[in-house]
């Protein structure tokens, strides 16, 4: 069955590769970006199955207009991929409020508002798949990206709740949690805090420099990531959380072990917090 995809943030990274892969396999794609000129090359070869649409996920009017254009062109939306996002580097104490709030507007509120706009269409269809591109940083936290982690933890929490709210309506939800991939995330798509505190040089500073220095050389292949996302969407039983990359797998398993260790060590105190009602 041919699917209609609506993908946010297609100018670079996962969004671009995913749009290309879906079109190549014969699906229809609403390809979006803040500047449509940046994505025109993706749709040029697919006049009947692709449209380039202007979308800034922080602008409610853009969200409404882009979804209307999608329905006018293709009549439905089968897969919403919330991919648009940015990064930001700085220790918690170093982080600038304006930059943090901007990141939340894009990474979380933009995603949430896009989802709310598309859900009525999927409810009417009694089918659909919401794919939220999060990060292993939505499950495991790292120094220098604490507020970025916070946006992705929020995405994960929203997604898990959404999955439980919509399963009976035929709407599926998948959280994509990549580790390091060769995209622009650690390059031009992420700003640094202008504040640097020497006391954080060995923690946040060290990790920030490591991530920046690794940009372009990460092990993750975005073409293979796009193929993995399509495979999950086409699966009869797609995962709630799709880890991508060996680093993501390592991080998730370490997190499980850490949780288990603390849960077991403090089990008596945990259970002791309950008491019978007098």
């Amino acid at each position: 069955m041919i699917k209609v995809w609506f993908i946010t943030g297609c100018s670079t990274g996962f969004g671009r590769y995913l749009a290309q892969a879906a079109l190549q396999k014969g699906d229809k794609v609403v390809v979006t970006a803040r500047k449509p000129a940046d994505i025109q090359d993706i749709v040029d070869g697919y006049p009947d199955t692709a449209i380039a649409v202007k979308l800034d996920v922080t602008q409610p009017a853009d969200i409404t207009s882009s979804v209307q254009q999608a329905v006018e062109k293709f009549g439905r939306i089968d897969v919403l991929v919330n991919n648009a996002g940015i990064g930001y580097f700085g220790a918690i104490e170093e982080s600038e409020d304006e930059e943090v709030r901007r990141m939340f507007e894009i990474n979380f509120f933009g995603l949430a508002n896009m989802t709310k706009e598309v859900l009525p269409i999927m409810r009417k269809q009694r089918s659909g798949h919401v794919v939220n591109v999060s990060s292993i940083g939505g499950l495991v936290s790292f120094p220098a990206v604490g507020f970025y982690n916070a946006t992705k933890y929020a995405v994960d929490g929203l997604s898990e709740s959404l999955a439980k709210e919509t399963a009976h309506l035929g709407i599926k939800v998948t959280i994509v949690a990549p580790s390091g991939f060769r995209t622009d995330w650690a390059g031009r798509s992420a700003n640094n805090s202008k504040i640097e505190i020497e006391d954080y040089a060995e923690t946040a500073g060290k990790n920030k420099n490591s991530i920046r220095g690794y940009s372009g050389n990460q092990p993750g292949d975005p073409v293979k990531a796009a193929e993995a996302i399509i495979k999950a969407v086409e699966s009869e039983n797609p995962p709630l959380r799709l880890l991508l990359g060996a680093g993501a797998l390592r991080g998730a398993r370490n997190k499980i072990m850490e949780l288990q260790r603390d849960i077991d060590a403090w089990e008596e105190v945990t259970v002791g917090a309950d008491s019978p009602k007098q």
Side-chain angles (χ1 to χ4, degrees):
M1 174 185 167
I2 293 173
K3 287 183 168 59
V4 177
W5 296 66
F6 187 112
I7 307 173
T8 72
C10 294
S11 59
T12 61
F14 285 150
R16 170 170 281 270
Y17 289 104
L18 184 56
Q20 291 170 332
L23 286 167
Q24 287 166 7
K25 71 181 286 294
D27 284 347
K28 300 175 181 180
V29 183
V30 182
V31 186
T32 74
R34 287 182 297 166
K35 298 177 182 178
D38 292 343
I39 52 175
Q40 193 59 45
D41 64 302
I42 301 175
V43 306
D44 277 343
Y46 302 92
D48 297 324
T49 57
I51 54 170
V53 175
K54 177 185 179 296
L55 173 61
D56 179 339
V57 297
T58 69
Q59 300 299 315
D62 276 14
I63 291 175
T64 299
S65 173
S66 64
V67 172
Q68 287 175 344
Q69 290 177 67
V71 174
E72 287 169 6
K73 175 69 174 178
F74 297 127
R76 60 188 293 118
I77 296 173
D78 298 304
V79 187
L80 169 64
V81 182
N82 284 307
N83 169 70
I86 61 170
Y88 177 69
F89 295 96
I92 302 298
E93 190 179 344
E94 295 170 339
S95 296
E96 303 144 301
D97 189 65
E98 183 178 352
E99 292 287 344
V100 169
R101 289 180 182 275
R102 174 172 173 265
M103 182 168 56
F104 264 95
E105 286 295 335
I106 297 170
N107 292 8
F108 177 69
F109 289 109
L111 175 148
N113 290 333
M114 273 303 316
T115 303
K116 288 169 69 177
E117 190 74 26
V118 172
L119 280 175
I121 297 166
M122 292 183 172
R123 281 196 293 108
K124 185 176 180 180
Q125 295 169 178
R126 281 301 194 263
S127 68
H129 200 144
V130 178
V131 178
N132 289 334
V133 179
S134 181
S135 166
I136 187 57
L139 188 65
V140 183
S141 297
F142 304 93
V145 286
F147 281 109
Y148 174 79
N149 288 144
T151 67
K152 295 303 186 178
Y153 273 74
V155 167
D156 283 28
L158 182 85
S159 302
E160 289 187 12
S161 181
L162 181 66
K164 293 175 181 178
E165 291 176 354
T166 61
H168 72 293
L169 300 172
I171 301 171
K172 301 171 182 177
V173 179
T174 295
I175 305 162
V176 178
S179 47
F181 275 74
R182 294 186 294 276
T183 66
D184 278 341
W185 178 81
R188 62 180 180 148
S189 294
N191 292 333
N192 281 354
S193 169
K194 298 181 182 68
I195 302 165
E196 291 189 4
I197 299 172
E198 181 60 29
D199 282 342
Y200 297 115
E202 285 303 305
T203 53
K206 186 175 181 180
N207 196 45
K208 174 183 68 178
N209 293 335
S210 175
I211 295 171
R212 288 292 199 191
Y214 210 27
S215 183
N217 296 302
Q218 298 96 329
D221 182 343
V223 173
K224 291 183 178 179
E227 293 170 355
I229 292 168
I230 289 173
K231 184 175 182 179
V233 167
E234 292 183 337
S235 169
E236 189 174 336
N237 295 300
L240 172 61
R241 184 173 276 98
L242 176 64
L243 300 173
L244 294 179
L249 184 61
R250 258 192 325 272
R253 284 179 168 162
N254 288 339
K255 180 65 174 277
I256 290 168
M257 286 191 293
E258 290 172 3
L259 282 170
Q260 193 67 57
R261 184 177 63 241
D262 283 349
I263 289 168
D264 290 345
W266 288 84
E267 180 179 359
E268 186 176 344
V269 174
T270 298
V271 175
D274 290 338
S275 61
K277 226 174 177 182
Q278 299 299 323

